[in-house]
Amino acid sequence: MRSPASHEILLGREELVADILATVLSDDGHGSLLVGDVGLGKTSVAAAVLELGGSKIRPFHAFGSSALASEPFGVLAPFLTGLHDGRAFSSSDVLRALSSALRTGTDERAVLVIEDAQFLDDSSAVLLAQLAAANQARFILLCAPFPAVPAELWSMCSDGLLKSFELAPLPPATMLELCRHLLGRQVSPSASTTLCRRAFGNPMFLVELIKHARSTGALVEHNGVWLLVHELKGSTKHVREVLRYHLLQLGEVQRQALDYVALAGSLDLDTLRQVVSSSTVDDLQESKLIVISNDSVRVVGLAVPPMGEVMCEILPAAKTMAMRRTLLLLLDLSAARPETLLRCVRWALEDGFDVPDISILKAAQLANRLELTDLADLAAAAVTSPGLEELARLEQARTMAVRGEYPALQELTGEIMATSSDPEMVRLVASLCGHGGLRPGLDGALLTTIASDWREAVDRLSGEGRLSDEGSMKGPQLLTEHRTSVRLLEIQGMHRDGNYHGSEDELAQIFATSADCPSNLLVSCTLLSEVLSATGRAVQGRELSSRAADLLDLDVEALAYYREFVVRNHLLALWHAGEFSLLREVVDHEADRNTASMQRHGGSYQLAKGLCDLAQGGMNDALATLVQAVEALRYRDPGNDLPQALAAAAYAAAVLGRETIKESYAKLYEATGPGRDTASSLRSRAFLLAAKGIFEGNSRPQLRLVADEAAAVGMVHVEMDVLMLGIHAGDLGLALRLKAVASRCEGRHAKNVADYAKALSEKDPLALLAFSDAAESDGRELDAARSAGNAVAILSRRGDRNRLHSAQRVAKRRLATLVHGHDPLSERLSTGPQLTRRERKVAAMVHDGASNRDIAAEFGLSLRTVEGHLYRIFAKLGISDRSEIANTTSESWNA
C-alpha cells in the first residue's frame, strides 16, 4: 500500500481547503476557525491550505495543550522570547512582541496556524483579536470541541474577524472512494463496506484501520483484489497514542464516564447516571464527546464511535474487569440493546460472571444473525438449562452453516430431527439444512434425503401425539402444514435438478391455501416465482419474487432461515426480467442493511452484478466485477457460485481479447466442477464454450447441444441465453430459433434479444444498424458491436458498397468502444472533482486574460466571491496561481 498522499486523505475536503485559503488571502478576511473531532483531518486541511497558498503566505506554527492553558500567553510563548528577561511586561508589550515576530518583511502574508487552539488562554485569545483588528496577521485556528472553543474566538467569528467551519465526518460514498485510493487496487465491496462502516466517516481511523488489517492478515490481496478474510480486531500504535493524548485532557471522572460508554458500546442514560454524576454527563455532552438520543429510552453513545474499541483496548485489565462487573450488576439484560447484550455475554463467558442462560441463548442467536461465529459457538455451548439445550443445539447448527461445516451440520440436524419432541424445532432444523443450507453439493438428491428425514420426524411426532395435542382443530392443521413443508422441500430438490414439469399447479395450490402458515406461504411463493422465471414468464416471476421479499420483511426474525433462499431467487427473477438497475438496487440495499451478509454472500452479489453487465454488454465493467466475484467466492462460497463466476469471467476476458485471463479462469473452472444447480451449470458450460470458441473456434455444435439440454427441461430463459452465445460465436443459423424462443420470454432483455434475432434472421442490415444505435444509447456495448458487425457481413456479401463503408465505420467505432473503451481494471478508480458551470466560465475568462474586476462585473459578483471561485478552481486543478490556468485546456477542467 502506497503512502497516502495529501490529496487522497483530503478527498471530499477540496472546497473547504479553497474556502479557508480565500479567507487567508482575501483583502477583507482575517482567517478561519476550523472545529472538528480527532481524526477528521484538521491538520491535513491546514497543511493543504499552506501548500496551495505557496509563496503568497508565510506560516507560523503554535501548538496548544492542557498544560499551557493555565499559563498566560502559554500557547504563544515561542513568539515572545524577547520578553522573558525577568522584567514585568504588559499586554501592549506582548502585542508588540508578537507583531514583530510575525512580521515577514516581504509581500508574503503572515499566517499563524495554531493547533489545539481550544487550549488558548483568555489573554491569548484577546491578543489574537487585537492582531486581527489591526490587520497584522491572518489565522488558521484548529480546535477540537473539547474542552471548549474559547468564547473570544466565537466572538471574533461574530464580529467578522474569523470565518468558522465545522469539519464533519465524510459521507459514505467519499469514504469508499478514499478506501479505494488508499489500497490503490480493486477492493471487494464486502471489504470496503466493512472498513468504512467501522471508521464512521473518520479518515484517520480508516487509514489506520487499513494499516492494521493488513499487518494482522485480516485484509489480504489476491490476484489484484483486496479481501477481508478475518474479523477486524485491535488498532495501530498511532491511533492508541493519539487517543491517549486526547484522553489526558480529561478529568478522571470524565474519563471514567467515557470508559463506561465505550465498554458497553452504548448505555441508556439512567444507567450511566448510576455510575457518574449528572453534571459529568452534561459536561461531556456540552463538550460534544458523547451524544444522547431523543428516544423514549435515552441512549448515550460516543460522539466518535471508532474511539470506543481503542479505549477498551488501552484500559488496564483489572480496571476493565471491575467496570464490566459493575455494568453487569446494573444492566437488565432482558431489555438490553443487541450490542450491549453481546458485549455483556462475552464478558460473562470470558471473566466467569454469572448470567442467565436465557440471555446467553439470546446472545448466541444474535451473534449467529450477525455471523459472529466464535461468540455464537461459545455462547451456545455454555447453555445448560434443560429447557434451552435444544435451542442451543439449533444455534450450534446455525454456526456450522455459517462456517461452511456442512458434514457436521447434516449430522447434527439429522440427530435433532430424529430425537426432538418439538415439531417447531424439527421445522427449523429441516429449514436450516434445506432452504437455508446454501452449500456445495446441495443437489436434488440431498434435498430429497433431508425431506425424507423430515417426513419420518413428522410421522413419529404424529404417532406420539405431538401434532394433535394442540386441540381437535389445530392438530390436523399443524400436521398438514408440516407435510406441506416437506413437500415444498421435495419440489425445491426437483427444481435444483432442473425439473420444473408438474410443479406449477401444485405450488399455486399451496400458495393459495397457506395464508395461515408464513413459512409455507413464503417458500411456495418463491418456488412458484422460480418456475415462472425459468420457463420464460420472467415478468410474472419477478412480481412473485418481489412479493416473497415483502413477505420476508414482514417477519424478519421468524423467517430468518429463508432469507438467502428468497433473496437469491429474487435476484435471479430480476435478471431474467431484464430489471438490471433494480437488481443492483436490491444488492446495494442488502449490503446496507446487513454487513455480515455481505461478508458471507458478497461474492454471490458481485456475480449477480457481473451477470447484469454481461447481459447489457458492458464487457470491461463485467470483467472487473466478475474478477471481484471470483476472488471473493474462492474465499467464501456458501452457494457454490464459483463455477458460474469463473465461466462468466472467462467469457468476458475472451470477448476483450485477454487470452491469458481466459485460460486461467477456464482451468480453474475445470478444477472446480459444475455449478450449484442445473440452470447455473448449463449457463456456465455455455459461457466457457463461447469463451474457448473465440480463440479456438469449433464451439458451435457444443453450444447447440447445451441449448437442447435447456430446452429439454423447459428452461426457456437459459435456452435463450445459450442461443445468444451461439450466435455471438458465429452460428447465425440459430437466429430463427432464437427469435422464436425470445418471443416466448417476458421482460426487457428478452424483447431486445427478440428484436435482434428478427433483424438477423431477416438479414436486414438497416434494422441491424438501427438496433446497434439503440443498443449503444442503452449502454449495451456488446449488442451494439455484434449487430453492427452482422450488418457489415450482410452488406459485404451483397456487394452493397455504398452502405458498406458507412456500416464499417460504425462497426469499427462500436468495436473500439467495446474492447478499448472504459476499462475499470486499468484506469484510476476515481477522477478528480469537476468544475461547476460557473467555475468553468470563470476559468475561461482568466484563461483569456480577464482580471478579477472584469469577472466580478461580468457576473455581478463581489471581488471576494470571485477570489473564492478562483481558490476553489486552483484546488480542483491542483495549481496555485491564476497564471497557471493559461497552461491548462478546457478539456482538463472536466477531467
Side-chain angles (χ1 to χ4, degrees):
M1 185 176 69
R2 61 181 183 270
S3 299
S6 61
H7 73 275
E8 292 174 327
I9 300 302
L10 288 166
L11 281 172
R13 309 290 196 200
E14 297 87 355
E15 290 206 7
L16 174 64
V17 170
D19 287 342
I20 293 176
L21 182 61
T23 68
V24 170
L25 294 181
S26 175
D27 292 334
D28 56 352
H30 301 281
S32 299
L33 171 65
L34 181 59
V35 182
D37 285 312
V38 58
L40 290 180
K42 297 187 295 295
T43 301
S44 296
V45 167
V49 171
L50 298 179
E51 181 180 357
L52 193 58
S55 60
K56 296 180 180 179
I57 58 179
R58 180 178 175 185
F60 297 84
H61 293 274
F63 303 89
S65 69
S66 56
L68 294 173
S70 59
E71 295 291 331
F73 309 111
V75 175
L76 302 176
F79 305 106
L80 308 176
T81 54
L83 298 178
H84 295 287
D85 56 3
R87 295 184 293 103
F89 51 84
S90 64
S91 297
S92 58
D93 293 330
V94 176
L95 180 60
R96 282 193 296 273
L98 185 58
S99 299
S100 176
L102 298 179
R103 191 171 295 123
T104 64
T106 66
D107 292 336
E108 296 174 311
R109 295 194 175 186
V111 178
L112 179 56
V113 182
I114 302 181
E115 297 203 40
D116 287 328
Q118 67 271 17
F119 295 117
L120 281 169
D121 64 283
D122 292 340
S123 300
S124 296
V126 171
L127 190 62
L128 295 185
Q130 292 173 330
L131 280 175
N135 202 27
Q136 292 182 322
R138 300 291 190 272
F139 307 100
I140 301 176
L141 307 179
L142 312 178
C143 283
F146 180 84
V149 178
E152 187 64 34
L153 298 188
W154 286 128
S155 296
M156 291 173 68
C157 295
S158 300
D159 294 339
L161 298 177
L162 290 177
K163 187 174 181 180
S164 64
F165 298 92
E166 183 175 357
L167 201 58
L170 293 173
T174 306
M175 288 292 283
L176 288 172
E177 186 180 356
L178 175 57
C179 184
R180 292 191 290 263
H181 268 297
L182 292 168
L183 290 168
R185 299 174 186 235
Q186 290 199 93
V187 188
S188 72
S190 59
S192 58
T193 299
T194 302
L195 289 164
C196 292
R197 284 190 175 178
R198 286 284 294 273
F200 286 91
N202 190 300
M204 183 196 76
F205 279 103
L206 178 60
V207 171
E208 297 300 319
L209 187 60
I210 289 174
K211 287 180 182 177
H212 187 69
R214 289 197 64 205
S215 67
T216 60
L219 181 65
V220 298
E221 181 192 17
H222 195 269
N223 287 338
V225 179
W226 287 97
L227 303 166
L228 268 179
V229 297
H230 300 306
E231 185 180 352
L232 294 169
K233 295 180 179 178
S235 59
T236 62
K237 180 181 178 182
H238 174 67
V239 169
R240 294 193 297 273
E241 289 177 347
V242 168
L243 190 56
R244 281 195 181 98
Y245 168 77
H246 283 272
L247 291 176
L248 284 174
Q249 319 305 325
L250 301 174
E252 184 177 348
V253 176
Q254 292 169 323
R255 284 191 60 179
Q256 185 178 41
L258 286 183
D259 286 339
Y260 273 116
V261 177
L263 270 178
S266 61
L267 271 178
D268 62 88
L269 184 57
D270 291 338
T271 300
L272 182 59
R273 283 173 173 166
Q274 292 183 62
V275 291
V276 296
S277 68
S278 295
S279 61
T280 299
V281 175
D282 293 341
D283 288 343
L284 293 174
Q285 185 181 20
E286 186 178 347
S287 301
K288 298 185 179 180
L289 291 172
I290 60 173
V291 290
I292 304 177
S293 73
N294 292 319
D295 303 326
S296 56
V297 178
R298 304 194 68 192
V299 178
V300 183
L302 295 176
V304 186
M307 289 175 54
E309 292 185 24
V310 187
M311 291 173 67
C312 294
E313 192 178 348
I314 63 179
L315 269 176
K319 185 176 180 181
T320 296
M321 183 175 291
M323 295 177 72
R324 286 177 173 181
R325 186 184 300 276
T326 298
L327 286 172
L328 283 171
L329 292 173
L330 293 172
L331 290 167
D332 177 9
L333 294 187
S334 65
R337 285 171 300 284
E339 181 184 10
T340 303
L341 175 64
L342 287 176
R343 293 192 182 216
C344 289
V345 169
R346 189 188 291 275
W347 302 342
L349 297 175
E350 290 176 354
D351 299 339
F353 299 145
D354 186 26
V355 171
D357 271 7
I358 186 63
S359 295
I360 298 177
L361 177 61
K362 286 181 179 179
Q365 294 167 339
L366 179 59
N368 264 327
R369 206 151 52 238
L370 298 174
E371 302 200 4
L372 303 173
T373 55
D374 290 344
L375 177 57
D377 200 16
L378 189 65
V383 176
T384 57
S385 298
L388 301 176
E389 280 185 306
E390 197 166 65
L391 288 170
R393 294 177 74 197
L394 174 62
E395 293 312 314
Q396 288 177 313
R398 289 181 67 188
T399 303
M400 293 172 183
V402 173
R403 287 177 171 172
E405 299 169 351
Y406 303 119
L409 170 65
Q410 190 174 357
E411 181 180 351
L412 178 57
T413 53
E415 179 184 331
I416 294 175
M417 280 194 285
T419 60
S420 178
S421 59
D422 181 357
E424 187 59 24
M425 177 60 64
V426 171
R427 179 198 297 277
L428 291 173
V429 167
S431 299
L432 172 65
C433 202
H435 304 299
L438 300 165
R439 61 184 187 275
L442 191 64
D443 55 11
L446 184 53
L447 284 170
T448 301
T449 299
I450 298 169
S452 178
D453 291 342
W454 192 352
R455 190 182 301 279
E456 289 180 10
V458 170
D459 291 342
R460 173 178 59 80
L461 292 170
S462 178
E464 295 173 356
R466 302 286 182 181
L467 290 170
S468 60
D469 57 4
E470 297 285 343
S472 58
M473 295 298 292
K474 179 64 176 175
Q477 179 183 339
L478 194 60
L479 179 60
T480 299
E481 288 177 358
H482 272 264
R483 286 180 172 163
T484 300
S485 299
V486 173
R487 179 57 184 156
L488 287 171
L489 191 57
E490 290 174 339
I491 293 175
Q492 183 181 337
M494 293 166 51
H495 289 186
R496 187 60 58 93
D497 288 341
N499 181 9
Y500 296 96
H501 298 296
S503 67
E504 182 177 342
D505 291 342
E506 186 177 3
L507 287 170
Q509 176 66 21
I510 294 172
F511 179 57
T513 57
S514 296
D516 294 332
C517 183
S519 59
N520 286 351
L521 184 67
L522 179 69
V523 174
S524 61
C525 183
T526 302
L527 291 175
L528 187 55
S529 163
E530 194 173 82
V531 173
L532 294 171
S533 295
T535 54
R537 290 164 287 174
V539 173
Q540 298 175 62
R542 187 259 300 157
E543 290 173 354
L544 272 179
S545 72
S546 298
R547 184 168 179 182
D550 292 339
L551 290 171
L552 187 69
D553 288 337
L554 289 177
D555 196 344
V556 174
E557 297 296 325
L559 301 174
Y561 295 158
Y562 304 92
R563 177 155 206 89
E564 292 305 325
F565 169 62
V566 173
V567 170
R568 290 166 71 93
N569 180 75
H570 186 37
L571 294 177
L572 190 61
L574 291 170
W575 186 60
H576 283 158
E579 300 285 355
F580 303 127
S581 297
L582 184 55
L583 183 150
R584 293 184 177 93
E585 288 179 14
V586 171
V587 169
D588 293 340
H589 178 65
E590 286 298 307
D592 288 340
R593 71 187 295 170
N594 192 347
T595 304
S597 179
M598 274 296 290
Q599 283 294 306
R600 188 176 181 218
H601 299 286
S604 301
Y605 291 160
Q606 283 300 96
L607 171 60
K609 285 186 172 182
L611 291 175
C612 285
D613 291 332
L614 277 184
Q616 291 181 292
M619 305 309 290
N620 281 298
D621 288 336
L623 182 56
T625 305
L626 290 167
V627 166
Q628 291 185 0
V630 165
E631 297 312 321
L633 290 167
R634 290 176 74 180
Y635 163 61
R636 183 173 287 184
D637 184 16
N640 198 22
D641 289 312
L642 179 59
Q644 188 170 196
L646 287 167
Y651 175 66
V655 171
L656 294 170
R658 302 182 183 183
E659 187 172 9
T660 301
I661 297 176
K662 186 273 293 183
E663 283 297 322
S664 173
Y665 285 146
K667 289 178 181 178
L668 281 172
Y669 174 87
E670 298 294 347
T672 301
R676 62 184 175 88
D677 55 32
T678 301
S680 64
S681 179
L682 288 171
R683 194 174 283 112
S684 299
R685 286 165 52 198
F687 275 137
L688 201 65
L689 286 168
K692 290 181 177 179
I694 289 174
F695 291 104
E696 304 167 14
N698 302 321
S699 65
R700 301 173 191 174
Q702 296 97 316
L703 282 168
R704 287 195 176 214
L705 290 175
V706 176
D708 292 343
E709 288 184 50
V713 293
M715 292 184 179
V716 180
H717 200 285
V718 174
E719 181 187 2
M720 180 184 73
D721 291 340
V722 176
L723 290 173
M724 192 68 168
L725 287 171
I727 288 178
H728 287 174
D731 194 350
L732 303 185
L734 293 174
L736 273 174
R737 179 178 173 183
L738 177 62
K739 175 186 172 184
V741 171
S743 298
R744 291 159 50 200
C745 294
E746 298 175 342
R748 299 176 185 176
H749 179 54
K751 183 182 183 307
N752 288 331
V753 172
D755 290 344
Y756 170 64
K758 179 177 184 296
L760 190 61
S761 64
E762 295 174 356
K763 297 182 175 57
D764 185 342
L766 297 182
L768 286 167
L769 288 171
F771 180 85
S772 177
D773 291 339
E776 184 191 39
S777 64
D778 199 28
R780 294 180 282 117
E781 297 170 5
L782 183 60
D783 288 350
R786 295 288 191 190
S787 55
N790 296 144
V792 167
I794 293 170
L795 291 169
S796 179
R797 286 194 298 270
R798 292 179 179 176
D800 189 343
R801 294 188 177 183
N802 291 333
R803 292 174 175 168
L804 177 61
H805 294 307
S806 175
Q808 285 175 330
R809 288 195 297 271
V810 172
K812 184 177 181 180
R813 188 169 65 250
R814 300 281 194 267
L815 185 61
T817 300
L818 176 70
V819 179
H820 303 296
H822 171 65
D823 187 353
L825 288 178
S826 60
E827 72 169 8
R828 288 174 59 105
L829 284 166
S830 65
T831 60
Q834 296 184 345
L835 300 188
T836 65
R837 182 182 299 176
R838 172 61 59 84
E839 288 168 350
R840 289 198 299 272
K841 290 181 178 179
V842 171
M845 290 188 70
V846 172
H847 186 275
D848 293 339
S851 68
N852 287 6
R853 292 191 180 278
D854 295 335
I855 297 169
E858 173 70 19
F859 297 111
L861 303 174
S862 69
L863 286 174
R864 182 166 184 175
T865 301
V866 172
E867 290 172 354
H869 279 309
L870 286 175
Y871 294 131
R872 279 190 288 273
I873 291 168
F874 296 162
K876 291 180 178 182
L877 299 182
I879 61 180
S880 58
D881 192 274
R882 63 187 292 125
S883 62
E884 295 183 55
I885 291 184
N887 299 322
T888 66
T889 63
S890 59
E891 288 79 9
S892 70
W893 303 341
N894 293 314

